[in-house]
């Protein structure tokens, strides 16, 4: 399967201490590797990891910063900038892999194909430490073909996933039930929860952090 990929943001900041994001829970967050080549992994002791995936401008950087409680990812309105898979280590216990955004047609074809290959290898390789994924979809929109394609790829590859519907604060209260129902019909399964979230208000971020920790636990692999 070929995934149409592009990048979403540039990066700033390699280390932070005392953060209070619900996923980091006060642990140190540090950049351990910007991976530019196929199969490139952090050196040293391997820890569990999950990949963060989503279309360009879905709010990936904002959500990652909110979950970790520090600005590891620079928020940008301009897609097409990330040139690597960024591995962040949280409290020396697990890694978060910030992947290039997909679906941005203006990125050069060669780069889209290279990013696609890197992400496919990251998720599907037998020896990959990445055992789960956080798939971000725009909560304001109906299910998008590229997101449905990624969800299918995760399922067929056997990768456990949590789906977060971002920008939920921008969805009118009168539309939330209908929007939530449409997104659930497209993405949610008994093994793949869907949760509306907001980086701006913090809505459901503690629950999202709990679901991600559960996806990383050995028991969830059984």
């Amino acid at each position: 399967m070929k995934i149409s990929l592009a990048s979403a943001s540039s990066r700033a900041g390699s280390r932070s201490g005392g953060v209070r994001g619900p996923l980091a829970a006060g642990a140190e967050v540090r950049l351990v590797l910007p991976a530019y080549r196929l199969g490139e992994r952090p050196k040293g002791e391997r820890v569990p990891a999950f990949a963060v995936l989503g279309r360009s401008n879905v709010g990936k950087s904002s959500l990652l910063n909110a979950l970790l409680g520090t600005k590891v990812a620079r928020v940008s309105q301009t897609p097409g900038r990330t040139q690597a898979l960024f591995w962040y280590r949280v409290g020396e216990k697990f890694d978060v892999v910030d992947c290039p955004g997909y679906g941005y047609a203006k990125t050069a074809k060669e780069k889209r194909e290279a990013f696609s290959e890197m992400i496919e290898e990251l998720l599907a390789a037998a020896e990959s430490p990445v055992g789960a994924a956080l798939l971000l979809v725009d909560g304001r929109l109906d299910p998008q073909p590229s997101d449905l394609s990624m969800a299918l790829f995760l399922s067929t590859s056997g990768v456990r996933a949590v789906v977060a519907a971002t920008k939920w604060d921008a969805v009118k209260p009168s539309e939330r039930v209908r929007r939530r129902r449409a997104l659930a019909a497209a993405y949610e399964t008994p093994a793949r929860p869907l949760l509306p979230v907001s980086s701006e208000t913090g809505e459901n971020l503690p629950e999202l952090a709990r679901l991600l920790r559960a996806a990383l636990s050995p028991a969830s692999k059984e």
Side-chain angles (χ1 to χ4, degrees), residues 7-10 56-57 59 61-62 74-81 104 140 167 200:
S7 56
S9 66
S10 57
S56 295
N57 285 351
S61 295
S62 296
R74 182 180 299 166
V75 178
S76 172
Q77 297 301 317
T78 304
R81 298 208 176 188
Y104 184 59
R140 303 169 301 174
K167 306 181 182 182
E200 292 295 322

Side-chain angles (χ1 to χ4, degrees), residues 65-206:
N65 289 341
L67 283 172
L68 297 178
T70 184
K71 292 184 179 180
V72 295
R74 182 180 299 166
V75 178
S76 172
Q77 297 301 317
T78 304
R81 298 208 176 188
T82 301
Q83 303 297 315
L85 277 64
F86 287 83
W87 294 70
Y88 295 100
R89 185 147 298 177
V90 182
E92 304 303 321
K93 294 182 178 179
F94 62 90
D95 287 341
V96 177
V97 188
D98 187 8
C99 299
Y102 53 83
Y104 184 59
K106 291 185 179 180
T107 299
K109 180 181 179 181
E110 294 79 7
K111 290 185 178 180
R112 293 201 307 270
E113 291 178 349
F115 291 147
S116 174
E117 189 175 6
M118 288 176 69
I119 291 181
E120 288 183 36
E121 190 276 337
L122 175 75
L123 297 172
E127 299 300 320
S128 174
V130 175
L134 171 60
L135 175 59
L136 308 186
V137 301
D138 194 325
R140 303 169 301 174
L141 307 177
D142 289 333
Q144 302 293 297
S146 56
D147 293 330
L148 294 170
S149 178
M150 178 61 79
L152 178 61
F153 174 71
L154 293 171
S155 295
T156 57
S157 300
V159 178
R160 299 183 310 282
V162 177
V163 181
T166 63
K167 306 181 182 182
W168 200 243
D169 58 290
V171 179
K172 295 179 180 179
S174 60
E175 297 177 356
R176 287 190 168 196
V177 172
R178 181 184 66 82
R179 180 68 60 198
R180 173 69 172 81
R181 186 181 297 120
L183 293 170
Y187 303 109
E188 193 168 36
T189 71
R192 186 171 64 202
L194 179 141
L195 193 65
V197 299
S198 170
S199 303
E200 292 295 322
T201 66
E203 183 176 357
N204 287 331
L205 294 191

Side-chain angles (χ1 to χ4, degrees), residues 44-55:
E45 183 179 357
R46 176 177 291 188
V47 298
F50 70 86
V52 184
L53 306 163
R55 290 187 306 113

